[in-house]
Amino acid sequence: MTPIKNCILNKDTTKNPIWLMRQAGRYLPEFREIRKSNQDFIKLCLNENLSSEITLQPIKRFGFDAAIIFSDILMLPYAINQEVKFEKGFGPKLGDLNIDKIKQTNEVNFTNKLNPVYKAISLTSKNHLLQNRDLIGFVGAPWTILVYMLNKMSPKKGLPKKFFNDTLLINNLLDIIETFLKLHIKNQITAGANVIQIFDSWAGLLENKIPDYIYKPTLNIVEYVKKLGVPVICFPRGIKDYKKFCEIVKPDAINIDYEVDPIKIIKEIKIPVQGGLDPKVLLTSKENLRKEVEKYLTTFKDHPYIFNLGHGILPETKIDLVKELIDIVRNFK
Ligand code: CP3
């Protein structure tokens, strides 16, 4: 059985598999090289050969235990007819929300639009490098997709207070998003993804509406993935109560962010855990890296634990420290 699946399904504690969120990205010179001549990010995600090549770059260089398909959570709004652009130095910019246009999406045109993503998964899964490795497919959680669709940019750039008021619109959109997220997951699994991760990067924005906007829609997706027989990892970044999230949503594994104390997590959570390390640690020194990494490895020594970060790897990360990180994890006893 592949390393991630073995850790999650067999609850194996003898090894800590390792992969990193955003491992196929800007800290890699070979990624930046491809990006230079491919300015349109969406088009790049829809180039099956380049997407597969980028997915395999960190596997070739570091030998991680899993590949994550090079794509983006915002391919979903794109495929349901909301414009999505990525601007240098600004991040994603979405077009005006037009419910009528969104409602024109059907299963066939959705799948056709994202077909290159599925082809990239299929190509990658057949590559010899993936023989004993997992291929992770992913989606954004309904709430995080909704945030981008309504806010039309990252909440880091501002989020108006009125955002949470239109509950009718929010509920309507969450339903549509859920339908197409399920289809996107099914298509990724059919193409060869053998683990699914759900990124809820903006879970931490909510206080009162967590049951309606996070637990319920995410539970629907998690149950759907389980029915397809594939393990599902959730990452509700910034959520205050990971224990409650796990009890209600019941993912097969939970990714934690770097704000939460791993010692609290090990006491509270019984399912396999992934991640936690602050990506900024990869900007410091080998000594500090060892200290911080061993903190996680020691805490989760007798628990099924997949090594990963508490958020995506930063573009300024030094390659040498990534190599060192893998060494530390693989040689830890
Ligand atoms: O992890 C991987 O290597 C696989 C590919 C992947 C990307 N985005 C590629 C990408 C994954 C899993 C994502 C998830 C994603 N995308 C999330 C959830 C995780 C998180 O970071 O919170 C979110 C919120 C997005 C939306 C998004 N995409 C933003 C906000 C940005 C711009 C800011 C940033 O951090 O770069 C992107 C662009 C993006 N997605 C890049 C990559 C490699 C950078 C593209 C570039 O400019 O070269």
Side-chain angles (χ1 to χ4, degrees):
M1 198 183 270
T2 48
I4 309 283
K5 279 185 95 166
N6 190 41
C7 182
I8 296 178
L9 299 177
N10 296 346
K11 311 267 189 294
D12 182 14
T13 58
T14 58
K15 280 190 216 78
N16 299 116
I18 175 170
W19 68 280
L20 303 180
M21 291 186 281
R22 291 282 177 96
Q23 64 187 21
R26 284 171 297 182
Y27 72 109
L28 285 178
E30 56 270 38
F31 171 77
R32 291 198 301 269
E33 194 53 40
I34 292 185
R35 190 76 170 95
K36 237 195 290 176
S37 46
N38 292 274
Q39 295 284 324
D40 185 328
F41 184 74
I42 297 277
K43 266 202 190 142
L44 181 56
C45 292
L46 293 173
N47 179 327
E48 67 234 40
N49 291 313
L50 285 180
S51 163
S52 176
E53 185 180 334
I54 294 169
T55 302
L56 291 169
Q57 283 177 344
I59 311 303
K60 284 188 185 144
R61 198 187 256 272
F62 303 114
F64 287 119
D65 292 303
I68 178 160
I69 193 67
F70 177 76
S71 177
D72 200 90
I73 63 165
L74 299 180
M75 296 311 281
L76 189 114
Y78 163 80
I80 60 174
N81 294 328
Q82 187 173 12
E83 198 192 351
V84 180
K85 283 191 294 203
F86 286 85
E87 274 183 20
K88 239 197 183 123
F90 184 84
K93 252 192 191 168
L94 284 76
D96 287 337
L97 187 72
N98 180 335
I99 289 281
D100 293 332
K101 256 174 97 181
I102 286 175
K103 286 194 168 152
Q104 283 163 16
T105 319
N106 61 38
E107 295 213 353
V108 175
N109 57 37
F110 179 92
T111 299
N112 281 341
K113 238 173 143 176
L114 294 188
N115 206 32
V117 175
Y118 310 132
K119 281 194 182 151
I121 292 177
S122 168
L123 268 175
T124 310
S125 70
K126 290 184 190 120
N127 190 289
H128 70 280
L129 284 167
L130 284 212
Q131 239 167 39
N132 293 308
R133 296 189 160 95
D134 302 86
L135 180 55
I136 301 171
F138 68 90
V139 292
W143 166 249
T144 283
I145 297 293
L146 176 100
V147 167
Y148 281 102
M149 286 179 72
L150 283 179
N151 200 44
K152 300 193 287 181
M153 59 183 170
S154 168
K156 270 190 221 155
K157 308 277 170 193
L159 182 77
K161 277 227 162 58
K162 63 170 200 264
F163 183 92
F164 301 102
N165 293 350
D166 195 343
T167 47
L168 198 68
L169 176 67
I170 291 182
N171 286 321
N172 197 351
L173 270 175
L174 281 175
D175 278 348
I176 298 173
I177 293 169
E178 186 183 312
T179 304
F180 288 103
L181 282 179
K182 286 177 176 163
L183 179 60
H184 191 33
I185 288 170
K186 187 177 84 185
N187 289 340
Q188 292 185 68
I189 292 173
T190 307
N194 71 336
V195 174
I196 294 291
Q197 176 145 330
I198 303 174
F199 289 91
D200 209 348
S201 305
W202 296 105
L205 283 180
L206 272 177
E207 274 161 24
N208 318 327
K209 293 279 200 167
I210 294 177
D212 290 346
Y213 296 165
I214 294 193
Y215 296 155
K216 187 169 151 279
T218 313
L219 174 63
N220 292 346
I221 306 279
V222 163
E223 286 180 339
Y224 180 78
V225 186
K226 285 181 175 171
K227 264 204 300 215
L228 298 177
V230 165
V232 52
I233 308 169
C234 280
F235 182 24
R237 181 166 75 89
I239 202 145
K240 302 280 171 315
D241 196 341
Y242 274 95
K243 178 171 182 265
K244 192 160 179 196
F245 178 91
C246 289
E247 282 166 2
I248 296 173
V249 178
K250 299 189 191 68
D252 294 299
I254 184 85
N255 195 108
I256 55 173
D257 65 77
Y258 56 85
E259 307 258 325
V260 60
D261 180 4
I263 295 174
K264 181 171 148 71
I265 295 291
I266 191 74
K267 285 185 191 143
E268 290 182 342
I269 287 179
K270 302 292 164 235
I271 63 172
V273 173
Q274 172 176 284
L277 182 77
D278 188 339
K280 288 194 280 303
V281 174
L282 282 168
L283 309 180
T284 62
S285 63
K286 288 189 175 176
E287 296 70 36
N288 188 52
L289 176 68
R290 178 173 295 277
K291 187 182 99 213
E292 293 298 321
V293 169
E294 289 187 346
K295 188 171 91 190
Y296 283 93
L297 292 173
T298 308
T299 306
F300 294 108
K301 163 166 78 50
D302 300 314
H303 192 93
Y305 181 63
I306 302 163
F307 201 92
N308 203 322
L309 306 174
H311 197 186
I313 189 167
L314 296 162
E316 315 85 68
T317 301
K318 288 195 200 69
I319 301 283
D320 278 0
L321 282 197
V322 180
K323 286 209 181 95
E324 180 75 11
L325 166 65
I326 295 177
D327 264 11
I328 299 170
V329 174
R330 295 246 160 95
N331 295 319
F332 180 75
K333 285 202 181 76

